[in-house]
Amino acid sequence: MKNRILIGLILAMMLVSMLPIMGASALIGPQYVSTSNGKGLYMRSGPSKDFSVVTTIPYGAMMDSTDYYDAAWSYVTYSGYAGYVMSRYLSSTPPTSKPSPTPTPSPSGGISYKSFVKADYYVTVRPSTPSGFVNLRWAPSKTTDVYTIYYAGAMLRVLSQNNTWAQVLEESTGTCGFMMRDFLTDAGVGSGS
């Protein structure tokens, strides 16, 4: 009988000693990316901007799971990735609409779509370095904001193009924007370039 009481007390003490550890990371309910500019949210390999970007989570996307790490960072999982995001860009309710980007004029005074021709084929993203990424911009100009990034091998559909830029669509998320054609490789599916 004394052994059972002693074992029970030891187990109770072990559970009580684990409470602060368990409380360090608080699971929170569903969280959505809600940035003020409508851009995606960088997921990083550690809780600081000094850590590398693991992936970009699109605006409005819901995390698979979210735990607070500290006041500034949360540990999240999303679409098979795990890492840290800045907590201030998370919301417990899905955003109602995406903020409209403010156009950034090119040095020539504006952005022209006149030279674009309709296209319909698939490409894979080919960064200049194997571990790099390619910027997806909201308009065909290096002076416009980066909407999100894509890593090597991502499959995109080309909707229109000119000699330098391609308007691409990620069909699974509906994300659409412009990439430089130098960083795209024809996947051999569709009507070709």
Side-chain angles (χ1 to χ4, degrees), residues 2 10-11 17 25 30 42 60 63 77 98 104 147 151 153 163-164 169-170 174 182:
K2 286 184 178 182
I10 291 172
L11 286 173
S17 69
S25 176
Y42 287 148
M63 307 305 116
T77 59
K98 189 170 187 172
T104 306
Y147 183 57
Y151 293 94
N163 290 335
T164 307
L169 170 69
E170 181 184 4
D182 289 345

Side-chain angles (χ1 to χ4, degrees), residues 42 53 125-135 146 148-152 183:
Y42 287 148
V53 174
V125 175
R126 184 184 45 85
S128 56
T129 62
S131 62
F133 56 87
V134 178
N135 293 324
V146 174
T148 190
I149 60 173
Y150 286 91
Y151 293 94
F183 302 111

Side-chain angles (χ1 to χ4, degrees), residues 43-47 54 65 67 74-78 81-85:
M43 176 192 288
R44 297 187 178 272
S45 59
V54 175
S65 69
D67 295 299
S74 292
Y75 179 79
V76 302
T77 59
Y78 173 77
Y81 294 97
Y84 297 84
V85 298

Side-chain angles (χ1 to χ4, degrees), residues 85-101:
V85 298
M86 294 186 78
S87 300
R88 67 180 173 178
Y89 298 118
L90 298 178
S91 171
S92 59
T93 57
T96 55
S97 63
K98 189 170 187 172
S100 299

